[in-house]
Amino acid sequence: MSARLFAPVARFEWGYQLRSPVFWVGVVLFFLLAFGATTVDQIQIGSKGNVHLNAPYAILQTLGIMNVFAVFVVVAMVAGTVLRDDETGFAPILRSTRLGKGAYLGGRFAGALAAALLVICAVPLGIAIGSLMPWLDAEKVGPFVAGHYLFAIVVVGLPTLLITGAAFFALATATRSMMWTYVGAVALLTLYFVSRGLLRDVERDALAALSDPFGLSALSLATKYWTAADRNTRLPELGGLLLANRALWMSVAALVFGLTVWRFRFEERAAKVTPKVGKDRPAGDSTGAPAAGRL
């Protein structure tokens, strides 16, 4: 019965997120950043070189970089779902129903993740619309190929979202604190940038590619020797270190989420009540009854 409730919970969470200001701020911000990077020379995301503004390489690199900054959007949208019911006082009502923790956590996570994916999709949408602007130099714009955008979302956007979403969902569940979840997000970004600097050597390319949860190092290595013509027309082969990176980190995400569900206690714990003897309470026997007064 609990499994049947997964879809209603996911739909509810999806609708809730679409009405959230965080969702719309994220969509508008990410769209404008991608649109601006495509249409304005002063705004640059990544180092595209002499390639088309809507080249497959440019789409992949821009989406990969924006995934890094989407960490805080993921925390706000995905990690907060498991804490919202306790904060609003709705959790005891849910615990009194037939809703199990699998349907509860899975539905919340799936609904919030689907909404967060729409925020990520605002990046390729901004590139696609920006490349149609009439003031752009026609030589800097290539043909529109829907497959390039779909590849970027499926290979770069969605796996990274699953990884970061599962990590911060687990952290919020364990700490029961949004503050510590945001601290974890800052720690992750700090560790990420430090590790990229330490793994710059050519001898460590394989380690750098596999240890990158955002997939940027693997993508960079897969396109390392491409010419401008290659970057304008080719998509990286989904194999080698790029495939290994995506498979590794998606497996980590599945493991983390599975452990989160396993350790989560859906039942409300009964509070222990310890009787206390106040100063103004008359002394009595062990049952708390007052002692008989003198005649």
Side-chain angles (χ1 to χ4, degrees), residues 34-45:
F35 181 86
T38 306
T39 59
V40 181
D41 294 336
Q42 288 74 20
I43 302 178
Q44 184 174 352
I45 301 177

Side-chain angles (χ1 to χ4, degrees), residues 9-29:
V9 173
R11 285 195 300 268
F12 172 84
E13 187 63 34
W14 161 267
Y16 179 89
Q17 294 293 340
L18 293 188
R19 296 188 298 270
S20 170
V22 175
F23 169 79
W24 290 107
V25 169
V27 168
V28 172
L29 180 61

Side-chain angles (χ1 to χ4, degrees), residues 10 14 18 23 77-78 108-119 161:
W14 161 267
L18 293 188
F23 169 79
M77 295 183 64
V78 179
R108 292 289 199 197
F109 182 75
L113 197 75
L117 181 61
L118 289 183
V119 177
L161 189 61

Side-chain angles (χ1 to χ4, degrees), residues 7 22 26-27 49 55 58-60 81 128 132 158 164 180 196 244 255 277 282 288:
V22 175
V27 168
I59 298 170
L60 288 167
T81 59
L132 300 176
L158 180 58
T164 55
W180 284 112
R196 295 310 96 188
L255 177 62
V277 178

Side-chain angles (χ1 to χ4, degrees), residues 173-193:
T173 303
T175 63
R176 292 288 175 172
S177 169
M178 284 298 294
M179 182 192 73
W180 284 112
T181 307
Y182 278 111
V183 170
V186 174
L188 171 65
L189 292 180
T190 302
L191 180 62
Y192 175 74
F193 289 121

